[in-house]
Amino acid sequence: MADDEEEQGGRIFFSNIGRSMEVEDEIVLVSVGIDIGSSTSHLAFSRIVLERLDTRYMVVERTLLHQSDVLLTPYRGEDEIDADVLGAFIKAQYDAAGITPETIDTGALILTGVAVRRSNARAIGEIFSEQTGKFVVVSAGDGLETTLAAFGSGAVARSGETGATVLNVDIGGGTSKLARCANGAIRNISAIDIGARIVAFDADRRITRIEEAGRYFAHRAGIVLERGSVLSQRDARKLAACMVDQLFEAMTGGEMPKETLDLHRLPPLPSAPAPDIVTISGGVSEFFYGETQEEFSDLGPLLAEALREKLRQWPPRLERPAQGIRATVVGASQYTVQVSGSTIFVHPLSLLPVKNVPVIKPELSFDEVIDPSDVAAKVKAGLARLDLAAGESPVALCYEWQGSASYRRLDDFCRGVIDGLSDVLGKGHPLILVGDGDVGGLVGMHCKAEAGVANLVSIDGIKLDEFDFIDIGGMLETSGAVPVVIKSLVFPTKELGRAGMAERN
């Protein structure tokens, strides 16, 4: 969506192609997904067909147009991504796909893994955020990256379709992300400092980079690592074996040695029965499932070999993910449009419009008596899951109100939400609430009059999901409604990649 979009009679126009989403029953968009990771960078182009259902457009078809080559993420020195090399690579992939930036309708750029921690990560994101209206730019911290991988790999959907408990293990260059999924939802997530490129070397096996975790595993394996020294195949196998031992401890969850706990970037998985299914995604999955024989001068092939051997003795069955290395990004993003009804509350009106606001959707319980502390805890958990707890950006909280809107229930709900979002509100961001029913006006007025919230947007009649980003336009004078543009990460289906094929140990 271009920044200079026009509002005419409530219609939202794609100004680059002169289309009104209000008058078209079908929209075809060209989408790009870009993943810049600590180990590799790549992109994929898709065509997305949306059909209108009432006021909301739904994805009915996704076609993968082009998958790029995989580039080893270029670095300039120890702590800086080489933006020039990266930019040239991405331009070359556009050329190879026969697509120009001007023909892209929407997209998502995701910075993942150790790449997020590099000194110029923000600058890399800004290369693409010039197309702000079109792109959702996300720096994916550990929680969000783990969640993205669980959805993108198909583990969440598989748990819902089969009724099985699925553990997805996404092994990248700098970290491994663990997500236990059941009944179509993520139940637990964790992340640990284990990855293929915590030690990297050149074609002559001379070490070019050592992350802090690499030094830890070298000490544990009883070997000495120095930049410029040669890493023998024997020592590399020792490193990989040590890493897989501790990765497996993290996968099983529960009590574990302190040294394994200290490697965790997120709290460890709780103690639980072994899952029914294990899927492996991320860059190491390419070696694990024999998708490539190409060497990337890192520990990826040895990690895959050691992990496969470890899993032979574990009861869960091993299955292929819907997506491997591209689990976090193949879907890119889509646009949908909805219009919030007249039962809304915005104060002051100058808060609008807002753009690219991430959405959380905690599983709130609307019992007869609403527990404010439970609401607050679930809101905070939702923020943590998507790496939004620090309050650096505004957040839209989506809820599905149930039951009566009595004073007591409204008050308990509003106070719980405000408590849960305290770190966000404390940074000066407005309170943004999005409901699917018709209580947006009541909720907003209560937050203003009874809880003293000065800056808030409370709208309703909108369906949202986690991973959505929303734009809320200015109020339409003719109706008192506001247009809402929804940008949703579209996760891959089996049609976009290899079908999930069961593979026995």
Side-chain angles (χ1 to χ4, degrees):
M1 181 71 70
D3 284 339
D4 58 348
E5 70 187 16
E6 300 176 21
E7 294 181 6
Q8 299 180 8
R11 296 178 181 177
I12 303 298
F13 283 85
F14 281 85
S15 57
N16 62 326
I17 46 181
R19 300 181 301 185
S20 167
M21 292 190 77
E22 181 176 293
V23 299
E24 292 194 37
D25 290 324
E26 180 180 278
I27 296 288
V28 179
L29 304 177
V30 178
S31 165
V32 61
I34 303 172
D35 183 0
I36 301 173
S38 52
S39 178
T40 59
S41 297
H42 47 89
L43 54 158
F45 299 90
S46 301
R47 181 173 60 246
I48 300 173
V49 180
L50 304 96
E51 289 184 358
R52 184 167 58 180
L53 179 64
D54 297 325
T55 61
R56 181 176 173 87
Y57 281 80
M58 305 297 293
V59 176
V60 295
E61 180 183 329
R62 282 164 269 185
T63 304
L64 187 62
L65 300 177
H66 178 77
Q67 289 190 144
S68 78
D69 299 331
V70 176
L71 173 75
L72 286 177
T73 301
Y75 289 93
R76 184 186 296 133
E78 280 285 311
D79 195 44
E80 189 172 312
I81 297 171
D82 193 323
D84 294 335
V85 173
L86 187 60
F89 166 75
I90 290 174
K91 181 181 183 304
Q93 299 309 311
Y94 269 83
D95 293 342
I99 293 172
T100 65
E102 292 73 25
T103 59
I104 294 292
D105 296 301
T106 179
L109 168 71
I110 302 177
L111 286 156
T112 59
V114 179
V116 177
R117 304 176 225 164
R118 296 309 181 192
S119 60
N120 65 333
R122 183 177 296 274
I124 297 296
E126 289 172 354
I127 292 175
F128 304 95
S129 63
E130 294 173 0
Q131 303 184 63
T132 300
K134 295 182 180 182
F135 269 86
V136 171
V137 181
V138 184
S139 292
D142 300 308
L144 178 55
E145 188 180 357
T146 305
T147 308
L148 285 170
F151 275 91
S153 67
V156 175
R158 189 170 310 203
S159 73
E161 293 165 359
T162 65
T165 300
V166 181
L167 176 66
N168 187 66
V169 185
D170 187 271
I171 310 172
T175 57
S176 293
K177 284 74 62 180
L178 315 175
R180 182 185 288 269
C181 311
N183 299 319
I186 295 175
R187 299 305 179 191
N188 309 103
I189 63 172
S190 187
I192 188 169
D193 271 330
I194 292 173
R197 294 187 70 79
I198 61 172
V199 178
F201 41 87
D202 62 19
D204 298 321
R205 302 192 65 87
R206 293 193 178 277
I207 296 172
T208 57
R209 193 165 82 244
I210 309 170
E211 300 289 350
E212 183 179 350
R215 298 190 185 281
Y216 163 80
F217 281 109
H219 176 76
R220 184 175 176 85
I223 62 177
V224 177
L225 294 184
E226 296 292 344
R227 280 175 57 88
S229 64
V230 173
L231 179 65
S232 70
Q233 185 75 354
R234 180 183 177 187
D235 284 348
R237 286 187 180 279
K238 286 183 178 180
L239 278 174
C242 285
M243 292 162 68
V244 166
D245 283 346
Q246 291 191 254
L247 176 60
F248 186 72
E249 288 176 353
M251 291 166 62
T252 54
E255 293 187 11
M256 60 189 67
K258 182 179 184 302
E259 55 266 26
T260 304
L261 282 174
D262 290 344
L263 285 170
H264 277 73
R265 301 187 56 80
L266 294 175
L269 297 177
S271 179
D276 302 302
I277 296 170
V278 174
T279 55
I280 309 296
S281 64
V284 171
S285 70
E286 299 291 290
F287 303 105
F288 190 88
Y289 295 106
E291 297 293 336
T292 183
Q293 300 299 318
E294 187 175 356
E295 292 283 344
F296 291 98
S297 297
D298 60 28
L299 300 172
L302 296 178
L303 278 176
E305 179 184 317
L307 181 58
R308 179 175 281 278
E309 186 61 33
K310 194 80 170 180
L311 295 182
R312 289 188 192 280
Q313 309 303 319
W314 207 29
R317 66 182 183 271
L318 184 63
E319 296 189 359
R320 287 181 183 269
Q323 289 288 329
I325 192 172
R326 293 176 172 88
T328 58
V329 78
V330 158
S333 63
Q334 72 173 79
Y335 284 120
T336 63
V337 168
Q338 298 179 46
V339 178
S340 181
S342 57
T343 56
I344 66 177
F345 188 90
V346 180
H347 183 83
L349 285 177
S350 58
L351 286 176
L352 299 180
V354 295
K355 291 196 171 208
N356 285 341
V357 179
V359 173
I360 65 168
K361 191 176 182 180
E363 296 183 9
L364 302 178
S365 300
F366 286 92
D367 300 326
E368 184 174 346
V369 176
I370 296 174
D371 182 355
S373 61
D374 180 65
V375 172
K378 289 179 176 176
V379 170
K380 289 178 179 178
L383 291 172
R385 186 164 56 247
L386 299 189
D387 294 310
L388 297 169
E392 297 301 325
S393 72
V395 175
L397 185 142
C398 177
Y399 64 95
E400 297 180 357
W401 184 272
Q402 299 172 24
S404 66
S406 66
Y407 177 91
R408 173 49 54 198
R409 296 182 87 240
L410 280 172
D411 193 63
D412 289 339
F413 170 71
C414 292
R415 293 187 185 280
V417 165
I418 292 167
D419 183 17
L421 293 172
S422 58
D423 289 337
V424 175
L425 303 179
K427 294 289 180 69
H429 301 300
L431 175 63
I432 303 176
L433 302 174
V434 183
D436 69 334
D438 58 358
V439 297
L442 289 174
V443 169
M445 286 187 287
H446 196 99
C447 288
K448 174 74 167 58
E450 302 297 331
V453 178
N455 299 300
L456 66 99
V457 177
S458 180
I459 63 177
D460 60 23
I462 300 293
K463 294 283 189 182
L464 290 175
D465 293 300
E466 226 159 53
F467 296 115
D468 284 348
F469 290 73
I470 63 171
D471 298 347
I472 305 175
M475 190 172 290
L476 304 173
E477 293 182 4
T478 55
S479 65
V482 293
V484 179
V485 176
I486 303 166
K487 305 166 185 176
S488 304
L489 290 179
V490 180
F491 292 100
T493 59
K494 291 179 181 178
E495 288 72 22
L496 281 179
R498 183 180 299 272
M501 297 167 55
E503 180 175 345
R504 293 284 181 178
N505 292 341

